[in-house]
């Protein structure tokens, strides 16, 4: 069985190489003279979505604030809930605005194997405040579950003020450009991916196909998922899907991005102050997370 899968992977890789030319570029409007559209897009994405470090700091800020709120609520109900240090739930990835085919980055994989391996090797641990006695545990869970709504206090702190609204407007702009310049892109992408042996009509479906390929992994206690017999094939498949994804849209990327140059210029000009506020908010995020880290009393899990 393993040998057959390897043969299929090799055959598909050959097919992907041939498919690189199946996506024919359209006739988009050229970018204004002297304008580097890809660089402009990259700059706007960094300002709106923040850098990987800044996004990670935002997640930590949300975690510590939310967990502190749950702990405070639990105390009013006679329960002790331990606030644990923040641990990333997945490795950092480059933003793909709206999962739009014409604006998503080139990736060697989807980060699925890395995420599963990271979580499995870490394992889950009970909250430090969980009592030892089963009767006390039942009361503890009831109290803590009734405090889950308190966690919403920290959710909005994951990103700077105004970021979500600005992101929606950027995705709408880029989506409109893609629809005008490459209305056939989604259809062509689905056909190209199917020719590569992957039934995925968009990036979300491609990601789901990759996730479904990996074997079930329990995060209840630390483990090494790479030792599972299906793991190597799943990792190969993830890279194969990522390669097909890029081969099926690479020839369209420059045209779509260049066609967005005028609208991106207008977007940055019209929203100069808003973009600056969001970008400054991202820049401040690591410091805000560090302050919380120093002031919130956390209890490491064992």
């Amino acid at each position: 069985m393993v040998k057959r899968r390897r043969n299929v992977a090799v055959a598909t890789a050959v097919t992907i190489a041939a498919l690189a030319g199946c996506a024919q570029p359209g006739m988009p409007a050229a970018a204004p003279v002297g304008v580097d559209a890809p660089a402009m897009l990259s700059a706007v994405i960094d300002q709106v979505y923040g850098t990987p470090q800044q996004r990670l700091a935002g997640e930590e800020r949300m975690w510590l604030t939310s967990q502190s709120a749950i702990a405070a609520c639990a105390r009013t109900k006679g329960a002790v809930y331990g606030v644990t240090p923040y641990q990333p739930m997945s490795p950092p990835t480059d933003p793909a605005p709206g999962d739009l085919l014409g604006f998503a980055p080139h990736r060697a994989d989807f980060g699925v194997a890395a995420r599963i391996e990271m979580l499995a090797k870490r394992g889950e641990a009970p909250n430090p405040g969980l009592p030892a006695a089963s009767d006390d545990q039942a009361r503890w869970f009831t109290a803590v579950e009734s405090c889950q709504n308190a966690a919403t206090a920290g959710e909005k702190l994951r990103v700077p003020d105004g970021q979500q609204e600005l992101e929606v407007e950027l995705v709408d702009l880029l989506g409109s450009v893609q629809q005008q310049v490459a209305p056939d892109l989604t259809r062509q992408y689905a056909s190209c991916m199917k020719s590569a042996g992957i039934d995925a009509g968009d990036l979300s479906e491609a990601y789901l196909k990759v996730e479904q390929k990996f074997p079930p992994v329990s995060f209840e206690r630390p483990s090494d998922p790479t030792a599972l017999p299906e793991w190597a094939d799943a990792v190969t498949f993830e890279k194969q899907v990522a390669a097909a994804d890029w081969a099926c849209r690479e020839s369209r990327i420059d045209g779509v991005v260049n066609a967005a140059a005028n609208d991106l210029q207008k977007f940055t000009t019209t929203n100069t102050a808003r973009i600056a506020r969001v970008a400054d908010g991202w820049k401040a995020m690591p410091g805000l997370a560090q302050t919380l880290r120093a002031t919130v009393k956390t209890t490491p899990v064992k």
Side-chain angles (χ1 to χ4, degrees), residues 94-96 101 103-109 239 242-247 249-250 253:
D94 292 330
L101 295 171
F103 297 96
H106 179 202
R107 292 169 288 201
D109 56 57
K239 294 178 180 178
D245 162 65
W246 186 244
R249 59 192 180 86
E250 178 184 11
I253 298 293

Side-chain angles (χ1 to χ4, degrees), residues 216-236:
V217 175
S218 173
F219 302 130
E220 193 171 334
R221 57 182 57 85
S223 64
D224 180 10
T226 65
L228 295 172
E230 308 96 332
W231 185 263
D233 282 343
V235 171
T236 297

Side-chain angles (χ1 to χ4, degrees), residues 39-51:
M40 183 192 304
L41 175 64
S42 179
V44 171
I45 286 178
D46 278 350
Q47 291 171 312
V48 174
Y49 289 91
T51 66

Side-chain angles (χ1 to χ4, degrees), residues 107-179:
R107 292 169 288 201
D109 56 57
F110 291 87
V112 176
R115 174 176 57 81
I116 295 174
E117 186 175 351
M118 181 181 74
L119 295 177
K121 289 188 174 181
R122 178 193 304 166
E124 294 179 351
N127 187 272
L130 181 67
S134 57
D135 289 346
D136 292 337
Q137 285 184 1
R139 287 190 290 271
W140 185 88
F141 278 114
T142 298
V144 170
E145 287 173 2
S146 70
C147 289
Q148 291 304 306
N149 287 338
T152 59
E155 290 177 2
K156 65 180 181 180
L157 301 180
R158 181 177 62 84
V159 297
D161 288 341
Q163 188 278 340
Q164 292 173 314
E165 296 81 2
L166 201 59
E167 179 184 352
V168 168
E169 292 179 27
L170 176 62
V171 170
D172 285 347
L173 179 156
L174 298 178
S176 178
V177 170
Q178 178 174 298
Q179 181 58 33

